């Protein structure tokens, strides 16, 4: 048997990090078993689907390493509507489904319980299709449905507790439960790995597989992803869009590594490992049952480690989108002609050890490419008090007298300014840093001044002194 797995997102919004994890889990399983990964776009919700969301899914998969051309598809669920309808018709014709005209309020009135499931009122009325009549699957009255699940073992469901569920609406359009099953059968899917929130649907879908004469797939329901309050990640409340993390400057390798740690861990006391190790060691049956905490702080630390591990030329290349701007990343605050690649290359190694996401590169280097630095008002208020004016004036004079404009002589000159006023270097350099870079935190000061150059440095020191 050739293993065939699928990833079946709906193009109704940004690409959820939980979806990215599911895609990677399916992708790895297919790779490990020399199988096939199928991408199916479940686009039957016409009111919410948008073409850009579909392209967003495909582009996001490209980013995390599941590249177009390496998988089968994308297929579109809407293209299989005739198959869905044929399956519903077949189930009705074989007596495995029946038409029902009950509304929810009818069931509540009969049972006296607004939480009760469908009571089977129309099961034996032999109704035909008609306006407002839904098609319900006739579930078994006895026995059990056992789900073979590589993560959760063999969850068992009593059939008598599963209501006769709707498989087609009153207008004849099939519901997700049926469409999903028919698509999986049509595409020869052998394994379905998805989030545990789908587990309650699984016995119903397994019944449909069997009623349509097919062997159900092997299932695997992985734990949901939760936030720091242990609430399921929500698009409305949490930062969940994979594209947002990409555009903020998270590396694809760091994101892939982190996503695979949500509920699983590689061997040994390690978390940051090459992708090849994850591909070799990951086992779906080793995934933890407990909800997985998506820790943004930990992801950020992960990303910083990955950034620091880049070769200098790789780091510079990775920064390019934020130094130039793209369709999804804002242009930097400087004019394109002001950017100097040689200047950036000189300070890039200094920035590489300090940033955690690539978008931070702009604030670290913008002072080099702007006529005047962007002033952080909080930094200015803190640094430009007391004897700041005198320090700026003395520093400008000391720097102007230097013959060697490099980091060490610049540092020595500022130390002398501080000694003359019985100040430590940290106190002395605070107003100088803010005058030159606009901020109190940034790249090493003296290397920054060396790259900025004599003329611009002196001009900024004197402008800051004049502003006090």
């Amino acid at each position: 048997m050739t293993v065939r797995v699928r990833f079946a997102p709906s193009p109704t919004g940004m690409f959820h990090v939980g979806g990215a994890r599911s895609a990677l889990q399916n992708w790895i399983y297919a790779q490990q078993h020399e199988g096939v990964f199928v991408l199916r776009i479940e686009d039957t919700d016409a009111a919410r689907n948008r073409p850009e969301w579909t392209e967003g899914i495909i582009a996001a998969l490209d980013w995390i390493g599941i590249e177009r051309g390496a998988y089968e598809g994308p297929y579109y669920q809407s293209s299989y509507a005739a198959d869905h309808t044929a399956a519903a018709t077949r189930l009705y014709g074989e007596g495995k489904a029946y038409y029902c005209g009950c509304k929810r309020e009818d069931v509540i009135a009969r049972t006296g319980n607004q939480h009760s499931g469908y009571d089977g009122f129309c099961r034996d009325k032999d109704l035909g299709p008609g306006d407002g009549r839904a098609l319900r699957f006739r579930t078994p009255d006895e026995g059990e449905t056992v789900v073979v699940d590589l993560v959760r073992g063999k969850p068992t469901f009593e059939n008598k507790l599963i209501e006769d569920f709707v498989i087609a609406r009153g207008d004849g359009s099939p519901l997700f439960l049926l469409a999903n099953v028919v698509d999986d059968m049509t595409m020869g899917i052998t394994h379905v790995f998805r989030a545990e929130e789908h587990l309650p649907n699984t016995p119903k879908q397994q019944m449909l597989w069997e009623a349509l004469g097919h062997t159900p797939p092997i299932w695997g329901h992985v734990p949901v992803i939760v936030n720091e309050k242990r609430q399921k990640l929500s698009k409305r409340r949490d930062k969940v869009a994979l594209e947002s993390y990409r555009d903020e400057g998270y590396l694809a390798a760091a994101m892939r590594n982190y996503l695979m740690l949500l509920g699983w861990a590689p061997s040994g006391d390690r978390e940051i490992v090459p992708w090849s190790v994850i591909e070799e060691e990951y086992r779906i049956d080793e995934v933890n049952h407990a909800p997985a905490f998506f820790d943004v702080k930990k992801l950020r630390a992960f990303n910083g480690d990955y950034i620091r591990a880049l070769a200098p030329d790789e780091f510079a290349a990775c920064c390019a989108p934020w130094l130039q701007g793209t369709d999804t990343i804002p242009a930097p605050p400087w004019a394109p002609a002001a950017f100097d690649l040689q200047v950036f290359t000189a300070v890039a190694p200094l920035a590489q050890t300090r940033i955690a996401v690539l978008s931070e590169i702009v604030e670290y280097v913008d002072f080099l490419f702007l006529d005047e630095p962007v002033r952080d008002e909080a930094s200015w208020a803190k640094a430009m008090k007391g004897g700041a004016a005198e320090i700026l004036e003395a520093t400008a004079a000391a720097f102007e007298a230097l013959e060697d404009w490099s980091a060490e002589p610049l540092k020595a000159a500022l130390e002398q300014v501080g000694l003359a006023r019985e100040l430590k270097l940290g106190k002395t350099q605070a107003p100088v840093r803010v005058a030159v870079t606009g901020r109190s935190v940034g790249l090493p000061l003296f290397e920054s001044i060396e790259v900025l150059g004599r003329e611009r440095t002196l001009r900024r020191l004197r402008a800051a002194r004049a502003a006090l």
Side-chain angles (χ1 to χ4, degrees):
M1 178 185 70
T2 299
V3 166
R4 291 178 63 83
V5 300
R6 51 81 163 170
F7 178 59
S10 297
T12 56
M14 302 292 276
F15 193 44
H16 197 291
V17 291
R21 180 187 65 159
S22 292
L24 288 170
Q25 290 169 329
N26 280 279
W27 174 257
I28 289 177
Y29 194 86
Q31 298 301 300
Q32 289 175 335
H33 295 84
E34 298 182 351
V36 177
F37 177 98
V38 176
L39 175 61
R40 182 172 74 237
I41 305 297
E42 300 200 331
D43 61 340
T44 52
D45 187 349
R48 298 174 61 205
N49 294 338
R50 284 160 49 184
E52 56 266 37
W53 296 137
T54 297
E55 177 55 32
I57 290 169
I58 295 171
L61 290 175
D62 281 340
W63 185 64
I64 58 173
I66 305 176
E67 298 178 346
R68 60 191 92 194
Y71 51 78
E72 195 173 297
Y75 299 119
Y76 295 86
Q77 189 170 68
S78 58
S79 301
Y80 297 85
D83 294 337
H84 307 155
T85 300
T89 301
R90 174 183 167 186
L91 291 170
Y92 171 67
E94 295 176 356
K96 297 173 182 176
Y98 61 91
Y99 283 97
C100 170
C102 296
K103 295 181 172 58
R104 180 62 190 158
E105 52 265 31
D106 299 331
V107 178
I108 295 173
R110 287 195 299 268
T111 63
N113 184 349
Q114 62 178 344
H115 302 295
S116 65
Y118 179 65
D119 58 357
F121 183 79
C122 293
R123 177 180 262 221
D124 299 315
K125 289 188 175 296
D126 198 24
L127 298 176
D131 185 36
R133 290 180 179 175
L135 186 64
R136 290 184 179 273
F137 182 79
R138 189 186 298 270
T139 60
D141 296 322
E142 300 177 347
E144 298 174 330
T145 295
V146 179
V147 173
V148 178
D149 191 302
L150 294 184
V151 177
R152 299 177 183 279
K154 294 184 177 181
T156 301
F157 301 83
E158 289 188 72
N159 292 336
K160 67 181 181 182
L161 300 179
I162 303 175
E163 67 178 14
D164 291 352
F165 54 92
V166 177
I167 58 174
R169 302 177 183 88
D171 62 3
S173 59
L175 265 67
F176 163 80
L177 283 175
L178 179 61
N180 191 264
V181 166
V182 171
D183 290 344
D184 282 348
M185 291 190 304
T186 302
M187 297 172 191
I189 301 304
T190 61
H191 296 70
V192 173
F193 303 135
R194 55 189 184 180
E196 67 175 331
E197 63 200 57
H198 294 287
L199 184 58
N201 289 330
T202 305
K204 299 176 183 179
Q205 291 185 308
Q206 188 157 303
M207 289 177 183
L208 289 171
W209 274 83
E210 293 167 347
L212 291 167
H214 289 257
T215 301
I218 295 172
W219 309 91
H221 289 88
V222 299
V224 296
I225 303 177
V226 297
N227 62 19
E228 60 185 2
K229 296 181 179 178
R230 299 306 186 265
Q231 301 167 319
K232 180 185 170 185
L233 283 188
S234 166
K235 291 182 179 180
R236 295 180 180 86
R237 181 184 55 238
D238 304 301
K239 181 180 174 182
V240 301
L242 189 71
E243 298 95 325
S244 296
Y245 288 99
R246 178 193 64 198
D247 293 347
E248 190 177 336
Y250 285 83
L251 296 173
M255 179 61 76
R256 289 196 307 176
N257 189 163
Y258 183 71
L259 288 174
M260 291 306 298
L261 296 180
L262 298 176
W264 176 84
S267 62
D269 186 18
R270 55 183 180 166
E271 292 184 313
I272 296 179
V273 294
W275 183 247
S276 59
V277 171
I278 295 176
E279 286 185 310
E280 179 180 349
E281 294 190 2
Y282 175 78
R283 297 293 182 271
I284 186 72
D285 57 359
E286 294 177 359
V287 173
N288 197 305
H289 295 188
F293 171 34
F294 192 86
D295 187 342
V296 178
K297 292 180 180 178
K298 184 173 182 179
L299 172 60
R300 180 181 170 85
F302 251 60
N303 201 63
D305 287 339
Y306 268 87
I307 286 174
R308 287 186 286 278
L310 293 171
D313 58 338
E314 290 179 313
F315 174 70
C318 287
C319 287
W322 289 269
L323 301 174
Q324 301 164 3
T326 69
D327 291 343
T328 58
I329 297 171
W334 55 79
F339 180 73
D340 186 324
L341 180 59
Q342 188 173 358
V343 169
F344 174 73
T345 301
V347 299
L350 305 175
Q352 185 174 358
T353 61
R354 287 165 169 78
I355 68 174
V357 292
L358 294 171
S359 58
E360 293 174 343
I361 191 65
V362 173
E363 290 191 358
Y364 274 90
V365 303
D366 61 359
F367 74 96
L368 293 167
F369 309 119
L370 294 168
D371 290 337
E372 299 297 335
V374 176
R375 180 191 291 185
D376 177 69
E377 295 299 337
S379 298
W380 179 275
K382 184 176 180 179
M384 300 303 184
K385 58 186 181 181
E390 184 183 348
I391 291 173
L392 291 172
E393 189 170 327
T395 301
F399 283 1
E400 188 172 27
L402 288 175
E403 294 184 4
D404 182 357
W405 190 267
S406 58
E408 284 305 317
L410 287 163
K411 180 181 178 182
L414 191 59
E415 285 176 331
Q416 290 302 313
V417 171
L419 286 173
R421 291 156 182 79
E422 297 183 347
L423 295 173
K424 292 183 178 179
L425 181 60
K427 286 284 188 181
T428 311
Q429 72 177 15
V432 175
R433 175 182 288 279
V434 174
V436 171
T437 70
R439 301 180 179 90
S440 58
V441 176
L443 303 179
L445 177 60
F446 302 105
E447 287 81 354
S448 297
I449 293 174
E450 178 182 344
V451 175
L452 184 64
R454 182 188 300 268
E455 181 182 342
R456 289 204 290 170
T457 299
L458 294 176
R459 185 172 71 245
R460 291 182 184 186
L461 289 171
R462 288 169 178 148
R465 167 65 183 88
L468 295 178

